[in-house]
Amino acid sequence: MQHWGDCISYRRFGYQSSGTPGMRSEFTRDYDRIIFLSAFRRLQNKTQVFPLPGNVFVHNRLTHSLEVASVGRSLGSIVGHKLTEIHKDSFTEDHQSFYIYELSGVIASACLAHDLGNPAFGHSGEKAISHYFTSHADSPLNGSSLRAHYSEKEWQDLTSFEGNANALRLLTKQFKGKLEGGQRLMYVTLASILKYPCASDEMNKDYMHRKKYGYFQSDATAFADVIQEFQLMDENGKAYRHPFVYLVEAADDICYRIVDMEDAHRIGILSTAEIENAFLSLIGELSNSTDSVSRTKEVLQKIGDNNEAISYLRAKCINGLVNGAADVFFENMDTILAGTFNSTLVDMVEKSCPYLKTINEISISKIYNHPSVIEVELAGYNVMSEILSVFVTAVLHEDRTPLEKKCLHLIPAQYNLCKDDVSPYEKTMGVLDFVSGMTDGYATELYRKMKGIDIPSHK
């Protein structure tokens, strides 16, 4: 990209509007469409970190997404206004209008959508899906192995299942009986969630934007359309990130680094003293001022409720990190625009705020490896593996048993790809569309019924 005006598109994926103006801008419509998606509502029963049953105060995927959208809106507003100020002589009236009034909404919409493709049981759900295919590669099926039914690239998709790629699929795919263009979001919203603009066989941990992958082979055309809209290709023909991705990524990073600590305090994994020390240390580094810490401590002395005190510190930390991330964005705006910035905004903030790294280390040792979190991961592996073993075999079997035929009736018509002219890969992706959309509760209930632990009753 040569200019910040190149980041803007007023076109909608899969659909050309009549152009008739309304009370809402096209970018605001995206936010509203995502809010009303059934896939978005299902996030309320998908694990963020801690087990959902019984812990009503901890975050789920939905509350996390809403908070990320709030932080993203603030980041977008700061960046949009400052970009307009810096480029006031070169921005057209349309450019100014977008960056002042619309960018914050675009980032908020992308933040809302960033976790839509994540399956049940948190990130362990992704690993469980991948593990099923790697562990069943040699299982006999139709006179050969399961692995033999897919090409190299298709197999790579399945054995490294990625929620980011699944989000793009969910938002752009025309499912059976649905409208063309998927959810018909604006191109700029879709570009803003393409955190890893590469295929599964192009991953390379030397590059931040290729650490994972962003689209399945079945959705390569949709991905190419978004990349083409903004000409996000380098001289070697490799796709790179849209600049707005860095803001969405930063909002997500800020929330999980800070809010997971707050959740750990809520359920007693970390003490009030531990959290106060961690957050006050970070506030001091972010502000580079002992006065800021002193003033914060004065306010804390007026708060008698421990949870309220930690909430206050959490807000101070997030505010400081938002401003820090915005500063890093402008310090690296040229490389971000050119697609050569090989880091994240929050990782760069961490270099001047070492306690942010300490907080991450605390999270890894005391939160992400807590027994309750590991128990969810173990449950996820067993539940997802059992469900996949039933449906993948049933959908691929050329000579289905009566029981397998019955099983396929459980898959909604929009996912059921059992026609002879559909490839094994597309049939499998149909199963994954169904399974990855399940909530923790639905997947667990289906698993228990399949195993005969619970017997369905007539309703």
Side-chain angles (χ1 to χ4, degrees), residues 439-455:
T439 62
D440 292 21
Y442 181 83
T444 302
E445 181 183 3
L446 183 60
Y447 167 80
R448 292 175 65 86
K449 289 176 179 177
M450 284 179 167
K451 299 293 286 186
I453 300 171
D454 287 342
I455 305 298

Side-chain angles (χ1 to χ4, degrees), residues 16 75 83 96 128 147 158 229 267 322 384 428 445 447 452:
Q16 295 304 313
L75 262 174
L83 276 174
Q96 292 178 19
R147 167 67 186 86
L158 300 175
E229 182 72 13
I267 59 178
V322 165
M384 301 298 267
T428 305
E445 181 183 3
Y447 167 80

Side-chain angles (χ1 to χ4, degrees), residues 11-30:
R11 296 205 314 135
R12 191 171 287 283
F13 182 88
Y15 172 73
Q16 295 304 313
S17 66
S18 62
T20 304
M23 294 297 292
R24 297 177 297 159
S25 77
E26 291 297 318
F27 305 105
T28 302
R29 291 176 189 271
D30 276 7

Side-chain angles (χ1 to χ4, degrees), residues 54-105:
N55 290 324
V56 296
F57 293 111
V58 301
H59 288 76
N60 53 44
R61 285 281 172 188
L62 186 140
T63 50
H64 167 72
S65 297
L66 290 170
E67 290 176 352
V68 173
S70 178
V71 173
R73 187 181 297 279
S74 296
L75 262 174
S77 180
I78 293 170
V79 169
H81 280 79
K82 191 166 182 178
L83 276 174
T84 304
E85 181 182 331
I86 293 172
H87 297 284
K88 58 185 176 182
D89 295 329
S90 61
F91 271 12
T92 66
E93 187 174 327
D94 283 346
H95 295 159
Q96 292 178 19
S97 178
F98 175 85
Y99 280 104
I100 291 175
Y101 301 112
E102 304 289 6
L103 177 61
S104 60

Side-chain angles (χ1 to χ4, degrees), residues 76-349:
S77 180
I78 293 170
V79 169
H81 280 79
K82 191 166 182 178
L83 276 174
T84 304
E85 181 182 331
I86 293 172
H87 297 284
K88 58 185 176 182
D89 295 329
S90 61
F91 271 12
T92 66
E93 187 174 327
D94 283 346
H95 295 159
Q96 292 178 19
S97 178
F98 175 85
Y99 280 104
I100 291 175
Y101 301 112
E102 304 289 6
L103 177 61
S104 60
V106 169
I107 302 304
S109 295
C111 288
L112 276 186
H114 84 283
D115 268 353
L116 284 178
N118 283 48
F121 307 107
H123 286 296
S124 64
E126 292 175 298
K127 296 174 184 176
I129 292 173
S130 302
H131 177 73
Y132 167 78
F133 288 99
T134 55
S135 61
H136 289 78
D138 297 325
S139 297
L141 183 66
N142 299 328
S144 60
S145 66
L146 175 65
R147 167 67 186 86
H149 288 71
Y150 311 101
S151 70
E152 285 290 340
K153 291 184 177 182
E154 292 169 350
W155 187 247
Q156 184 65 33
D157 280 358
L158 300 175
T159 55
S160 55
F161 182 86
E162 178 55 52
N164 289 282
N166 203 38
L168 179 68
R169 177 178 176 84
L170 189 151
L171 292 170
T172 60
K173 180 176 173 57
Q174 181 183 6
F175 291 99
K176 184 178 179 181
K178 306 293 184 178
L179 291 171
E180 184 180 357
Q183 301 306 319
R184 298 181 170 185
L185 299 183
M186 299 294 284
Y187 271 99
V188 68
T189 303
L190 293 172
S192 298
I193 67 167
L194 283 178
K195 189 175 178 180
Y196 304 107
C198 67
S200 59
D201 63 331
E202 297 174 324
M203 290 187 290
N204 185 337
K205 294 189 182 296
D206 291 337
Y207 301 95
M208 189 62 65
H209 65 286
R210 290 166 63 188
K211 186 172 65 173
K212 298 180 182 179
Y213 68 98
Y215 69 95
F216 297 120
Q217 291 300 315
S218 55
D219 309 304
T221 300
F223 170 79
D225 285 349
V226 177
I227 295 300
Q228 179 64 32
E229 182 72 13
F230 300 97
Q231 298 296 308
L232 297 170
M233 300 290 284
D234 62 21
E235 62 275 9
N236 297 315
K238 298 291 185 182
Y240 59 84
R241 286 178 168 183
H242 190 288
F244 298 166
V245 170
Y246 292 96
L247 301 177
V248 176
E249 177 182 56
D252 186 27
D253 290 348
I254 289 169
C255 284
Y256 83 74
R257 289 206 188 198
I258 301 302
V259 176
D260 288 352
M261 295 279 284
E262 184 182 20
D263 274 353
H265 173 262
R266 285 269 184 178
I267 59 178
I269 293 176
L270 296 174
S271 68
T272 301
E274 286 177 296
I275 298 292
E276 284 189 357
N277 177 65
F279 283 178
L280 284 169
S281 298
L282 179 59
I283 290 168
E285 290 181 345
L286 288 167
S287 63
N288 195 26
S289 167
T290 55
D291 289 343
S292 177
V293 175
S294 297
R295 290 193 299 270
T296 302
K297 287 181 176 179
E298 289 176 6
V299 174
L300 285 179
Q301 291 174 356
K302 300 175 184 178
I303 302 175
D305 182 87
N306 286 338
N307 287 332
E308 182 65 20
I310 299 306
S311 294
Y312 171 71
L313 290 174
R314 175 257 301 151
K316 293 277 288 185
C317 287
I318 288 178
N319 182 67
L321 286 169
V322 165
N323 289 318
D327 289 342
V328 172
F329 185 91
F330 287 105
E331 289 165 5
N332 298 276
M333 57 188 297
D334 292 338
T335 53
I336 287 174
L337 183 63
T340 57
F341 182 63
N342 192 29
S343 185
T344 74
L345 302 184
V346 173
D347 281 349
M348 293 296 287
V349 171

Side-chain angles (χ1 to χ4, degrees), residues 35-54:
I35 281 283
F36 283 95
L37 277 179
S38 58
F40 183 76
R41 293 196 301 277
R42 286 197 296 270
L43 294 178
Q44 68 183 311
N45 195 16
K46 288 191 176 185
T47 298
Q48 174 64 14
V49 174
F50 296 106
L52 299 179

